């Protein structure tokens, strides 16, 4: 049922990362409900790098998440309107209200592995791979409260294709905002690690 990606990973030589945690007020438009959310945003288009390296960069941090859904193959003009964290959040909110994405994920848990090669999402027994997101194709990652009052957070990932002509949004549910922020932090460290190793 799920499409399995079979892309090979490669490292990026031109991207650096910046992670920021800001408090933003997000209008979820859920019956006029306004939610306040801490947004952790990973911007891989940034020209800044923290310069921190991780000696264990080959290791893979693993997190248990649930898969909400994806909006794939958005054209370049649509992609340009999804540059900032709030742009992604608002777009996902509207997609959920329009029925393009569910509000609540299926019960099955997946293992999200984050390493210097990117992100791999596999079944809990790690036998089947649901998604692979190569590090150099990840454009932005945003985490925020899902607004449903259960303490869960959504993790939205914006990726591009190898020719940078289309983008896709991938939405996962985390157990807490802290877990979602931890994933963003590990991914930021992965970017820094790759950049540091390429500079030396």
């Amino acid at each position: 049922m799920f499409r399995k990606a079979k892309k090979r990973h490669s490292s990026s030589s031109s991207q650096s990362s910046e992670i920021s945690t800001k408090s933003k007020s997000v209008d979820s438009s859920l019956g006029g409900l306004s939610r306040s959310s801490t947004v952790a945003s990973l911007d891989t288009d940034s020209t800044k790098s923290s310069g921190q390296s991780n000696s264990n960069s080959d290791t893979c941090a693993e997190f248990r998440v649930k898969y909400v859904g994806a909006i794939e193959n958005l054209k370049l003009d649509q992609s340009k309107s999804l540059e900032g964290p709030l742009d992604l959040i608002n777009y996902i909110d509207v997609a959920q209200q329009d029925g393009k994405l569910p509000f609540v994920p299926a019960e099955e848990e997946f293992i999200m592995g984050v390493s210097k090669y990117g992100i791999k999402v596999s079944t809990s027994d790690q036998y089947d791979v649901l998604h692979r997101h190569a590090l150099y194709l990840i454009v932005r990652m945003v985490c925020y409260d899902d607004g449903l009052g259960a303490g869960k957070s959504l993790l939205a990932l914006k990726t591009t294709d190898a020719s940078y002509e289309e983008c896709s949004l991938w939405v996962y549910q985390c157990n807490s905002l802290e877990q979602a922020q931890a994933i963003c932090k590990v991914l930021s460290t992965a970017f820094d690690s790759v950049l540091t190793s390429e500079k030396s």
Side-chain angles (χ1 to χ4, degrees):
M1 179 168 133
F2 293 116
R3 184 173 63 86
K4 295 177 185 174
K6 296 183 178 178
K7 296 177 185 171
R8 285 283 181 194
H9 299 300
S10 68
S11 61
S12 167
S13 60
S14 62
Q15 294 176 321
S16 60
S17 63
E18 176 185 14
I19 187 164
S20 61
T21 304
K22 301 175 183 176
S23 181
K24 298 199 181 257
S25 179
V26 181
D27 180 10
S28 67
S29 302
L30 295 173
L33 174 69
S34 179
R35 71 176 183 261
S36 181
S37 169
T38 301
V39 178
S41 171
L42 174 66
D43 180 6
T44 63
D45 293 328
S46 171
T47 56
K48 290 187 255 178
S49 173
S50 65
Q52 295 175 343
S53 62
N54 183 357
S55 60
N56 297 323
S57 59
D58 285 327
T59 62
C60 178
E62 294 182 344
F63 304 88
R64 287 191 171 272
V65 300
K66 292 181 179 179
Y67 176 56
V68 176
I71 301 174
E72 299 183 64
N73 306 121
L74 294 170
K75 298 302 179 187
L76 187 61
D77 55 341
Q78 292 174 292
S79 175
K80 286 182 178 178
S81 67
L82 299 173
E83 293 298 326
L86 288 180
D87 297 329
L88 292 182
I89 294 169
N90 290 334
Y91 189 89
I92 290 167
D93 275 345
V94 171
Q96 287 175 319
Q97 292 169 52
D98 290 345
K100 295 176 183 175
L101 282 175
F103 283 99
V104 181
E107 282 301 309
E108 184 179 3
E109 280 193 331
F110 295 93
I111 302 295
M112 176 180 281
V114 186
S115 72
K116 70 176 185 178
Y117 301 106
I119 292 175
K120 181 176 76 171
V121 182
S122 55
T123 52
S124 56
D125 59 8
Q126 300 195 5
Y127 184 74
D128 289 318
V129 176
L130 181 66
H131 304 132
R132 288 184 192 274
H133 306 297
L135 192 68
Y136 78 106
L137 295 179
I138 297 173
V139 180
R140 185 179 289 276
M141 178 178 271
V142 179
C143 60
Y144 61 101
D145 183 89
D146 66 2
L148 300 178
K152 305 290 186 182
S153 288
L154 295 182
L155 184 75
L157 192 67
K158 179 184 175 185
T159 62
T160 185
D161 60 357
S163 58
Y164 299 97
E165 293 178 355
E166 294 180 336
C167 77
S168 296
L169 299 180
W170 311 85
V171 185
Y172 304 93
Q173 185 192 69
C174 300
N175 293 324
S176 64
L177 186 61
E178 289 73 23
Q179 184 195 37
Q181 290 173 334
I183 296 172
C184 284
K185 185 174 182 180
V186 172
L187 191 66
S188 176
T189 302
F191 274 103
D192 288 340
S193 174
V194 169
L195 289 164
T196 301
S197 64
E198 287 181 353
K199 285 176 185 173
S200 58

